[in-house]
Amino acid sequence: MPLSYSDATTNDTSAYLARLGCDLHVHVLSGIDDGAPSLDESLAIIEAHYRAGYRRIIATPHIRSDFFPNTRHTIHEAWVTLNEIVCKRWPDLSLTYAAEHFADDYLMLMLEEELLLPLSGRYVLIETSMRDEHPYFVDIVRALIDKGWQPVLAHPERYRPWHAKPKRYAEMREMGLIFQINLLSLGGQYGSVEKSMAERLIRQGWAGAVGTDLHRANQYPYLQKAARTPEFEMLCDLPLLNYTINTHEERNR
Ligand SMILES: [Fe+2]
């Protein structure tokens, strides 16, 4: 059966994602990366999230010097525009912002200049290349940890170079990375390989956080598919960062 946005937003009000408490990875701010292309799309995502039970959302636009050269300023401005509407329409919803930092030289520069945009406190969301292993990824992770940051690795299940090297996941966990699984992976958005790796990491108890990584409202049916899997139940029972992260302090920055 084809997936449709209307199925996701108008026929389902069961708040099935409420248990997760917080979406800590979503490209809901409009016009500054490959996420929501318009304010209307941002609001459609927020509305769908609200119906699904989320009451805390951390917007995480990309910061990547070659493709998405965002700064604190561009992200803050986009957040202000959206948050003004959110506060009026959904007063019990908290929308804060952080960034999904690509692990590259620019991240190192932001680290040196103390410009990183954390999820909260010292938790910082990072990503790496899905095609090739970045030669300095380990060094960048170590530098973050040495400076007192707790890196949260976005969608480890999507890094195909790691799939052939299962030890990679153990090594990265031992270094101190928190693995953040995408619900879209679990719902099959990216294909069977990523879905299987997400299931495997959850079954091993290696998922430390969960986000949607939604870029468009029409991806929503994949979240519903994810929530129907047995791994979703296992995921909810893990000690996820979603349950303890403090987003309140960031509300009015
Ligand atoms: Fe993302």
Side-chain angles (χ1 to χ4, degrees):
M1 187 192 299
L3 301 172
S4 77
Y5 173 52
S6 62
D7 287 343
T9 57
T10 58
N11 298 339
D12 191 328
T13 55
S14 59
Y16 54 92
L17 297 179
R19 293 158 69 187
L20 295 173
C22 173
D23 185 5
L24 49 73
H25 183 171
V26 58
H27 297 268
V28 68
L29 300 185
S30 58
I32 57 171
D33 62 1
D34 59 347
S38 66
L39 196 53
D40 282 347
E41 185 83 15
S42 300
L43 293 170
I45 292 172
I46 298 269
E47 182 176 4
H49 263 37
Y50 194 89
R51 283 174 186 266
Y54 282 125
R55 293 296 180 269
R56 291 187 297 147
I57 298 172
I58 307 176
T60 51
H62 293 282
I63 294 185
R64 178 174 177 164
S65 59
D66 50 359
F67 290 113
F68 309 110
N70 276 310
T71 63
R72 280 173 164 255
H73 179 72
T74 60
I75 293 173
H76 180 80
E77 291 296 297
W79 171 80
V80 166
T81 303
L82 180 59
N83 196 50
E84 273 181 13
I85 303 171
V86 167
C87 287
K88 286 177 192 154
R89 286 199 199 170
W90 299 281
D92 59 337
L93 177 72
S94 162
L95 175 68
T96 57
Y97 65 88
E100 182 178 13
H101 291 276
F102 191 84
D104 60 8
D105 292 346
Y106 192 58
L107 182 150
M108 292 300 287
L109 189 66
M110 295 188 81
L111 174 64
E112 287 302 320
E113 298 186 1
E114 301 189 358
L115 291 173
L116 295 177
L117 277 173
L119 294 167
S120 176
R122 302 297 284 177
Y123 293 100
V124 62
L125 185 68
I126 64 170
E127 66 171 334
T128 186
S129 171
M130 292 179 206
R131 290 188 198 162
D132 313 297
E133 283 213 74
H134 192 293
Y136 304 117
F137 180 68
V138 169
D139 297 330
I140 292 170
V141 170
R142 193 165 291 126
L144 283 165
I145 292 171
D146 286 349
K147 292 231 172 192
W149 291 94
Q150 171 57 69
V152 178
L153 180 64
H155 39 64
E157 72 279 4
R158 297 190 68 191
Y159 301 125
R160 290 220 174 184
W162 295 13
H163 286 203
K165 302 176 187 169
K167 281 187 181 171
R168 201 57 154 155
Y169 289 97
E171 289 166 3
M172 291 296 123
R173 262 177 58 86
E174 280 168 22
M175 277 194 75
L177 279 178
I178 291 176
F179 287 165
Q180 178 259 298
I181 304 296
N182 277 6
L183 284 180
L184 288 177
S185 299
L186 194 56
Q189 163 91 77
Y190 316 110
S192 58
V193 174
E194 287 77 6
K195 178 175 168 58
S196 294
M197 185 53 78
E199 291 169 353
R200 188 167 152 186
L201 292 171
I202 293 166
R203 285 181 178 274
Q204 285 177 303
W206 285 10
V210 58
T212 63
D213 203 5
L214 213 74
H215 287 61
R216 298 284 188 281
N218 66 8
Q219 294 174 295
Y220 224 87
Y222 288 103
L223 303 186
Q224 292 176 311
K225 289 179 84 172
R228 293 190 201 108
T229 63
E231 287 78 13
F232 180 77
E233 295 301 317
M234 295 177 198
L235 184 61
C236 291
D237 287 340
L238 292 174
L240 301 174
L241 177 62
N242 300 61
Y243 302 145
T244 55
I245 194 166
N246 179 11
T247 55
H248 183 70
E249 66 190 62
E250 271 79 17
R251 176 86 203 241
N252 296 312
R253 63 181 162 191

